[in-house]
Amino acid sequence: MTAYFNGYFFTGSETLHGPCLLTENGRILGFSETLPPEAEKVDLQNGWLVPAFLDLQIYGGHGQFFGEFPSVEALSATYDYCLSGGASHFMPTLATHSEAVTLAAIAAVRDYWQQGRPGVLGLHLEGPFIHPAKRGAHLPQYVRTPDLDSVRKLFDQGRGVVKMMTIAPEICPPEVLDFFMQQREVVISAGHSNATYRQAQAAFDGGIRTATHIFNAMSALQHREPGLVGAIFNHPTVRVSLVADGYHVDFAAIRVAKKMLQERLFLITDAVTENPHGQYAHRRDGDKYVVADGTLSGSALTMLQAVKNCVYQAGMPLEEALRMASLYPAQVMGLEGEFGKIAVGRKVDFLWLNPGLELVERFANE
């Protein structure tokens, strides 16, 4: 038995201070007002014990760019990068690319799982079915309008591996959108989209419940044409990710988005890594990444840094920023029964943060 004491415990719904948390054999037993004398003791030194984070969009880490050179080694390097920022689980992401690279990414995730390695929730395909006008740093030669046969083929190839896909709904024929809505194992997210407000509303009414990186690569909120941003704000069930680095979205705009969206806003890193030799030639530029023409192409965030930015730069309560990095992304993926809370019976998967919100240690049952 292990007892964690002398700290603040954020359970995902409330903060406790005073009791100790007891675990045994990698499972949470619950809270106790007394410290069992026989327990192994962990003094939190007035820090925080919080649920580990989930990152639903990340392209690589530690110099291994999975988003163009997918491999088990790149996934392992990305996992290590995620752990350094408190994310115990992640979705490796592939931007718009060739069929060969897409199939290699699917195969790499399968190999990673077959080797019993931890952390990967599934593959996020960001493209290729996006609007050319909102492609951002995505490679134009691979952007495509979907047809039903090609979409069926892609989903057959990625079955069990592809768990999330970002599409521009306005470029999809009705039969393709219907097919997407039938894929219960895959979260379909609207993004890299130039949809009008009415097109976006129709897509959300039709079953899309998620959108990709608010404000970035989407039709803007205008007073006569509210666009995709306006549709996200107005639709009561749509959740949307946020890159909270101050470059992708100004912190003032983050404050506005939070007021509008409340618990529907969740954090991703959208992080890349140096890639000097590929078609996606990401170059570090301060605390962000750009491609050759200077287009913003990814963040240098970790999930913990995103949380701290929400607290210190956007003025959010710590507990809400923590939910945006843990419980809310778990809910997006239908995994709230496993992740995002410290609760009796769940696996140990939490972080020890010091009073300055620096990561001290991760505790996990893998």
Side-chain angles (χ1 to χ4, degrees):
M1 180 187 296
T2 303
Y4 303 84
F5 72 102
N6 189 28
Y8 295 87
F9 301 91
F10 177 63
T11 66
S13 56
E14 62 179 340
T15 298
L16 304 174
H17 184 56
C20 63
L21 178 68
L22 303 180
T23 67
E24 189 168 39
N25 297 324
R27 294 279 178 176
I28 297 171
L29 297 179
F31 290 96
S32 172
E33 295 297 331
T34 60
L35 197 61
E38 73 278 10
E40 178 183 349
K41 298 173 181 61
V42 178
D43 183 351
L44 299 174
Q45 302 172 36
N46 214 37
W48 289 79
L49 207 68
V50 305
F53 307 144
L54 289 75
D55 188 354
L56 304 188
Q57 188 165 334
I58 182 170
Y59 292 90
H62 292 325
Q64 293 269 4
F65 187 58
F66 176 86
E68 185 158 8
F69 302 105
S71 65
V72 170
E73 292 72 26
L75 289 172
S76 295
T78 306
Y79 178 54
D80 289 342
Y81 178 86
C82 287
L83 288 179
S84 72
S88 64
H89 292 80
F90 70 104
M91 295 192 71
T93 305
L94 186 73
T96 300
H97 220 300
S98 66
E99 181 179 7
V101 172
T102 302
L103 294 179
I106 292 168
V109 172
R110 284 201 177 106
D111 289 347
Y112 187 89
W113 284 340
Q114 288 170 0
Q115 294 177 25
R117 302 191 185 209
V120 172
L121 294 171
L123 184 63
H124 180 172
L125 296 180
E126 193 187 20
F129 308 128
I130 61 175
H131 197 290
K134 294 296 181 181
R135 66 178 179 84
H138 286 231
L139 297 171
Q141 63 267 37
Y142 298 122
V143 172
R144 293 193 288 136
T145 299
D147 61 82
L148 191 55
D149 288 342
S150 64
V151 171
R152 279 178 171 159
K153 179 182 176 183
L154 175 60
F155 274 72
D156 284 343
Q157 292 165 330
R159 195 166 306 281
V161 172
V162 176
K163 296 295 184 181
M164 191 171 194
M165 190 169 188
T166 295
I167 65 164
E170 75 278 9
I171 71 164
C172 297
E175 65 273 15
V176 172
L177 279 177
D178 288 344
F179 178 83
F180 280 141
M181 292 304 96
Q182 296 165 16
Q183 308 310 304
R184 301 303 179 197
E185 293 186 354
V186 182
V187 173
I188 302 299
S189 185
H192 286 273
S193 165
N194 206 29
T196 66
Y197 177 81
R198 287 175 177 80
Q199 288 172 327
Q201 282 285 91
F204 295 149
D205 289 342
I208 293 178
R209 290 290 178 266
T210 309
T212 298
H213 44 51
I214 184 72
F215 300 120
N216 297 122
M218 62 175 62
S219 46
L221 174 63
Q222 303 288 342
H223 65 294
R224 292 193 178 96
E225 172 45 66
L228 179 53
V229 173
I232 292 167
F233 281 170
N234 274 347
H235 203 285
T237 62
V238 173
R239 295 177 180 269
V240 61
S241 59
L242 165 70
V243 187
D245 62 355
Y247 298 102
H248 284 76
V249 184
D250 188 274
F251 290 118
I254 291 176
R255 288 191 285 274
V256 171
K258 187 60 179 172
K259 288 179 181 178
M260 293 295 298
L261 295 163
Q262 298 297 317
E263 72 278 0
R264 296 191 288 127
L265 189 65
F266 67 96
L267 292 170
I268 55 172
T269 63
D270 197 37
V272 299
T273 190
E274 292 281 356
N275 189 38
H277 305 299
Q279 295 181 74
Y280 281 99
H282 300 292
R283 172 177 58 83
R284 183 99 182 221
D285 179 20
D287 289 331
K288 63 185 184 299
Y289 285 88
V290 297
V291 289
D293 65 0
T295 300
L296 182 65
S297 61
S299 88
L301 283 173
T302 65
M303 287 297 283
L304 181 55
Q305 186 59 52
V307 167
K308 290 194 289 186
N309 286 348
C310 285
V311 174
Y312 297 132
Q313 303 296 333
M316 295 182 199
L318 172 60
E319 290 87 346
E320 183 60 11
L322 292 170
R323 276 188 284 262
M324 290 170 65
S326 55
L327 180 61
Y328 297 162
Q331 290 171 337
V332 167
M333 299 309 301
L335 297 172
E336 63 270 28
E338 299 178 53
F339 305 113
K341 286 197 172 184
I342 295 175
V344 174
R346 293 204 181 191
K347 286 184 179 180
V348 171
D349 189 16
F350 40 69
L351 311 173
W352 173 11
L353 308 178
N354 69 20
L357 304 185
E358 299 297 329
L359 179 62
V360 179
E361 191 171 347
R362 173 195 172 220
F363 302 98
N365 172 16
E366 293 181 334

